[in-house]
Amino acid sequence: MAVEDSDIENGDAGGRDIENGDVEVGLGRSRDGGDDRDGTVATASLASALADACRGDVRFDEYTRVLYATDGSIYGAQPAGVVFPRDTADVQAAVRVAADHDVPVLPRGAGSSLAGQAVGPGCVVLDLSRHMDDVREIDADERRAVVQPGVVQDDLDDALEPHGLRFAPDPASSNRATIGGGIGNNSTGAHSVRYGITDAYVEECEVVLADGSLIRTRDVVLDSPEWNRIVAKVDREAAIYRTVRAIVEDNAAEIEARYPDLKRCVSGYNLQKVIREDAEGDRIVNLSKLLVGAEGTLGVVVEATLSLVTRPDETALVVYCYDDLLEALAAVPEALALDASAVELMDSEVFRLAADSQEYAEYADPIPDGTAAALMLEFDDEVVDDLPDAIGLATDELVDDGTAFESIEAFGAEKQDRLWKLRKAAIPLLMSMEGDPKPYPFVEDASVPPAELAEYVAGFQEILDDHDTTAAYFAHAGVGTLHIRPVLNLKTDEDVETMRSIADDVTDLVREHNGAFSGEHGDGLARTEFNPKLYGPDLWAAFKDVKSTFDPDWRMNPGKVVYREEDPTDIREHLRYGPDYASLEPRTTLDFDDDGGFSHLVELCNGCGTCRQTDSDVMCPTYRATEEEVATTRGRANLLRAAISGEIDPEELYSERFQSEVLDLCIGCKGCQSDCPTGVDLAKLKVEVKHQYHDREGVSRRERLFANVDRLAAAGSAVAPIANRLPDFPGARTLLERTAGIASERSVPTFQRESLVDWFRDRGPRVDAAAATDRVVLFPDTDTNYSHPETGKAAVRVLEAADVHVRVPDLGPTGRAAYSQGLLDRAAADARALLDDLDPYLEAGWSICFVEPSDASMVVDEYRSLLDDDRVGTLASTAYDVSEYLDVHRLDEDLTVDATADRLTYHGHCHQKARGTDHHAVGVLRRAGYAVDPVDSGCCGMAGSFGYEAEHYDLSRAIGALLADQLADSDGETVVAPGTSCRTQIGDFDGYDRPPHPIEVLARDLDR
C-alpha cells in the first residue's frame, strides 16, 4: 500500500539535523477544520475561526476527536476539536474564539488524569504539551524555576539535576505527566510525607481567563498599595480579587470546620490556602493557590514559577512484609515516627499481577510467598544521619517488636529503582486484569488521618462486602491516601449503579474519619458529584461563586469541581465502557485466545499514557519523533476501539486513511509488549488488521517486494558483484523510488557472491558432534547469509571455540518479512516450511541459534499466534539469540578472549528488549573482559522495511537521530549492535561506520 510523500512534512530530505517533534504525521492538518464528516455548520465555523486566529494547528477531524476523547480514567466523550497552541497568544485567541461561539474550553497535558479531568464533551481541547513545553528559567540560588505548562516533570527534573535540585511532587506518571496537569490536579506522589503537594510549590502563575485576558497571580499583601491598585480597576482581575477575599473572609468558620487537617486534600477549591498570614503578620492573598487543583475550571495556566527542593545525596529503601493487610496499615503510625521520607503500601494483588507480567515479574521476585501486604519505607540523608542505622531501627520496631515477618533492604540505586518500578506499576498492572471486571478508579484516592487508616480500610471492606465485590489496595499509606479500587464490570447497568452506591457510601465513610474524598487525583467527572456532601451547602455555594467570578459563563472545563444545578455532574455519565458499549469481535487469522480475543486486547488500553514517555525503555518511537498522539500505542488503540465499537464506522479500519495515518506508523518494535503495563500488543493488532486489509484491497508491489526479500537477496547474491553496481547507475535510485517507493537517500544492501551457507558447506563443522558440549543449528537469516556472512562466520567460530558442534543448513526464511507486511498466509507458509526443515534437528534435541534478533522473536513469539502446530512450542523452548545461548549456558566462560582496550557502547535490539533478552550480550561481553556501556535506547527507527520506504524515510531518520544522540552521550569508543536494521541505520549516521555484531567482537579477539 503506497502512502503519499506529503504524509510526512518538515523533515530534512537528507535525514540530517532532524530534531524531536520536527516530523509531522498527516492527521487532520487542514486549516479549515479537517475531515469533519458529521460536523455541523457551526462546528465548521468554529474550526475555521480558530484556524484563522491561531498559529498552532487546529484539528476537528473525526480521528482527532477520538484521540482526545479519553484520558487515564473510566470516562470518554468526544471534544469538538483540538488546538495545539504555540504560545500564550494562541491560547488567548482560542479562548476568545470559543467564547464567541459559546463553546467550552478544556486545557490538557498528557491526558494521564484518572478522574476524567481531561474528558470534555463538545469542548475545544487546548493541547499544551506539544509546543508550550519550555523550561524558561532556572534560578539555582533562589531555588526557583519558570516553566510552561507542557513540560514533562521528568524533563524538568533532568534540567534541574545539574543544580542539585528537583520539583518536589513526584507522581508515578512523572515520565509523561506535565507540570500544567500537575498544577490542574494538585498532584503529588510517594514523597508527600516529607514534601506535601503541588500547591506548596507554585509561587506565581500566568493565567488566561475565560474572556481571553491575561493575569499574573502572585503574593499580594491585603490592603497594601498593590492591592488597592488591583481592586480599583474595572476589569475581571479586580472582580476576582475582591470576590475571593470576601468569600474566604465570610466563610472563615466554615472553612475551618469543613476542610480536613491533612497533608493531602485536593477536593474542591483551595479556599483554605488562598489567604495566609506571613511571619510579619501581614495577610497575603495568592490566587495561584486557588488555581492549583482547579482542574482548568478557572483559567488556563500558561506559565508557572515553581519553588524547588534539594536532592538528597543518598537514599535507602526497606520493604516490610505482612501476612495481613490490616496489620500493615496498623503499623503506619509507627513507620511515620521513624523519619521516613516515604511510606508506601502494596497488597498481594499487585504482587500477583506483577509476577504474571513479562515486564514486572523480575521486580516482584524478592517479595516472599504469603505476603498479603508490604510497607515500603524510604530514608534519605537529608533527614537521617546514618541510613543503615535508620533501617536497623525501623526493623527493630516493625519486625522484631512488630507484626512484619520479613524485611527487604535496598541501599544501591539499581535495587531501589527496581522496587520503585514495582510500586509505580500498580495502577496499570491492576487495569491489565483479565476479563471485563476491572479494579476501576472512582474512589481510589480518598485520604484520612494515618492513625485512622486501618479503621477506615476496615469500614471500606464492609462497604465492599455489602456490594459483593473486592478491591486492590496500594499507594501512599504514610499520608493516609490509599488507592482502593473496587472490582466492577461497568459494561452492566447493575455494576454502574453499584459504583454510584459505593462512591456515596465511601463519601460518608470519609466524612466520619475527617478525611478528603480526593487526596491526589482530583475531582473530575468521578468525584465532583459528591463535593456538596463533603463540604456542605455554604462552601458549595462559595465554590460556585468562585467559579462564576472567574468564568461567568461556566465555559472553562465545565462539570469539574463544581456544577450547575440544572446540569449536574453524574459519576455514571460519559463512561468509556458503559452499559451501552458493545464491540465487534472480528474473525481473525492470528490466534488471540491468549489475549482474551482481539477486542479484549484493544480494550486493555486504560489510557494511562505510558506510551508517551520519552526518557527510557522502547515505546513508542514514532511518538518520540513526532510528539503526535496518533503515534502512541494509546492513540492507535483508541482508534481501533472506536472502530470495533461503532464510535466510528467499522469499515474505517480498512480505509486507506486508517492504514496510512494509524497503522503504518506503528513500526512493529514490540516495545508495547514489554513497556505497556497492561500489555497492549499493538504490533500484533496491526498485522492482523493489515492482513484483512490486504484480503479486501490487495497487496502493493512494494509489499510483495519486501515480503520476498530473502528470494531477492538470493538472486542478488547469485549475480554479485554486478547487482551491487546497479543502484549506482545514473537515475537508478530515482527510478527505484518512483516504481517501488524505496527512498533514494537510503543506502541499499549489497550482496556477497559466496553466501554463509555456501561457505559452511565447503568448510564443514570443526567440532566433532560426539565430543561437543551441544549441537546447534545456526539459522542463516537473509542479511547474514547473503549480505554479511562475516557475522555468521564469527558466530560459528565463537560457538566452536566453546566446543559446540555447529551446522548451517540451507533454510528458508522465518516469515518475519511477510509477517511485518501483514501477509499472514505467506508468513505461515514460510513458518511451516522452516518447521519441516528443522524437524529432524528438533527431534534430535538440537538448539537453534539466531544471529538476527527479529528472527528469534518471530519463532519464539509470533509463531504461537500464527500456527497451530505442536512443534512451535518445541522450537520456542530451544531457540536463542546467539549471545543469549552463550549466556544462558555460560559457554562463554570457557572462551579465551584477549579483550581489546576500547570501551563498547551496546545498543540492544527492540525485539530483544520486548522479550527481556537484551542483557545477555552485555553479560557475555563483560565476562570476556570488555567495558560495556549498555544504552537505554529505544528503536533505531529502521524497523526492517520501514526505513527504506520513501514516505517514512524522514520519520525513520528522526527516530534514528534520537538514538544517535544517545550514542554520542555514551563514553564508549566502539558501538556494537546485534540487529541488522540497527547496524544499517547507525551506519548511515554521519561519522559512523556500520557497527559490528557483538559476536564479531568476540570472534575478532579470540585470535589475540
Side-chain angles (χ1 to χ4, degrees), residues 905 907 933 935 937 960-975 986 989-992:
T905 295
H907 164 65
D933 178 22
V935 180
S937 50
L962 302 178
L963 171 60
D965 290 342
Q966 290 178 298
L967 297 180
D969 288 341
S970 171
D971 58 3
E973 299 168 6
T974 301
V975 176
I986 295 169
F989 294 159
D990 290 339
Y992 285 89

Side-chain angles (χ1 to χ4, degrees), residues 344-355:
E344 297 288 289
L345 179 131
M346 296 174 281
D347 79 344
S348 58
E349 188 65 11
V350 172
F351 302 142
R352 182 186 70 81
L353 290 169

Side-chain angles (χ1 to χ4, degrees), residues 246-293:
I247 287 172
V248 173
E249 291 178 346
D250 292 347
N251 291 277
E254 195 71 1
I255 290 171
E256 176 69 22
R258 283 280 185 172
Y259 279 87
D261 182 18
L262 298 169
K263 285 183 178 289
R264 292 165 170 245
C265 174
V266 302
S267 290
Y269 291 128
N270 272 340
L271 296 181
Q272 84 283 26
K273 295 182 178 180
V274 71
I275 296 178
R276 73 182 193 278
E277 188 173 299
D278 68 7
E280 286 74 36
D282 291 326
R283 296 178 68 226
I284 296 172
V285 60
N286 191 330
L287 295 179
S288 305
K289 308 303 180 182
L290 197 58
L291 291 161
V292 177

Side-chain angles (χ1 to χ4, degrees), residues 202-204 216-222 224 226 230 241 274 276 278 283-289:
V202 179
E203 297 183 359
E204 298 184 8
R216 176 168 287 276
T217 62
R218 71 278 186 196
D219 279 353
V220 177
V221 178
L222 291 177
S224 67
E226 182 180 17
I230 293 173
Y241 272 96
V274 71
R276 73 182 193 278
D278 68 7
R283 296 178 68 226
I284 296 172
V285 60
N286 191 330
L287 295 179
S288 305
K289 308 303 180 182

Side-chain angles (χ1 to χ4, degrees), residues 980-993:
T980 296
S981 290
C982 308
R983 299 198 300 277
T984 299
Q985 179 82 297
I986 295 169
D988 283 351
F989 294 159
D990 290 339
Y992 285 89
D993 295 324

Side-chain angles (χ1 to χ4, degrees), residues 164-179:
L165 300 171
R166 60 181 292 270
F167 186 54
D170 57 340
S173 56
S174 62
N175 62 1
R176 70 268 191 196
T178 63
I179 294 295

